[in-house]
Amino acid sequence: MRLDKDSYYLNIAQAVSKRSTCLKRQYGAVIVNYDEIISTGYNGSVRNKLNCCDLGKCIRLDKEHNSGDYDVCASVHAEQNALLSAARRDMIGGDLYLFCSEDDNVIEDIKPCPLCERMIRNAGISRVITLGGIINYEN
């Protein structure tokens, strides 16, 4: 049986998440417009800096998810990395597929953090699609 497009792009987001350097949660993001992949991103440390996998520890491991105290975390979110790799003109009206797992367990009920949500909206993306549902944005 042929996969529907949302499942197809979510599967790609899952594969992208496997590149994450975060020990707590692994996120993958895929930006799609006109049925074409514009960019991808995963959560991880800033380029050319040691990451949690290299260090073997996560400073935020025992912190509540989305607690807002990110000053101790060196990671860039998957959505942000995908947005940084694309031109706004290519994202306007597009979709962002977002996948998350923790300890190899899929997390369906996810949504972008408040900062990522503002960036997604400002980029002109119309929808965020996760395993748990669709978030629609008016742009």
Side-chain angles (χ1 to χ4, degrees):
M1 182 170 171
R2 188 173 188 211
L3 277 178
D4 63 272
K5 287 187 180 181
D6 284 346
S7 297
Y8 171 70
Y9 290 121
L10 282 169
N11 284 347
I12 294 171
Q14 180 178 12
V16 170
S17 76
K18 301 295 185 190
R19 292 285 303 150
S20 170
T21 61
C22 179
L23 296 176
K24 185 171 184 172
R25 283 190 171 184
Q26 296 74 47
Y27 282 87
V30 177
I31 297 174
V32 176
N33 204 357
Y34 299 108
D35 205 22
E36 182 178 334
I37 295 175
I38 306 300
S39 74
T40 65
Y42 53 86
N43 60 320
S45 294
V46 175
R47 293 180 196 275
N48 301 317
K49 297 289 182 184
L50 289 177
N51 61 60
C52 294
C53 293
D54 294 334
L55 297 171
K57 64 179 179 177
C58 172
I59 296 168
R60 285 189 41 83
L61 197 58
D62 297 324
K63 302 275 186 181
E64 183 179 335
H65 183 68
N66 273 347
S67 59
D69 56 344
Y70 293 107
D71 56 328
V72 297
C73 181
S75 278
V76 177
H77 290 185
E79 304 97 313
Q80 294 168 345
N81 278 321
L83 291 166
L84 286 167
S85 296
R88 184 175 187 274
R89 68 179 172 273
D90 295 332
M91 294 186 283
I92 295 173
D95 298 325
L96 188 147
Y97 290 84
L98 187 62
F99 178 87
C100 177
S101 66
E102 184 174 340
D103 298 324
D104 289 324
N105 295 310
V106 173
I107 310 227
E108 291 187 14
D109 187 25
I110 59 168
K111 63 182 182 178
C113 76
L115 177 59
C116 285
E117 182 177 48
R118 291 192 299 271
M119 294 174 72
I120 289 165
R121 294 175 74 107
N122 211 39
I125 290 174
S126 296
R127 303 183 311 159
V128 172
I129 296 107
T130 69
L131 288 170
I134 298 173
I135 302 167
N136 289 298
Y137 297 114
E138 292 182 28
N139 287 310

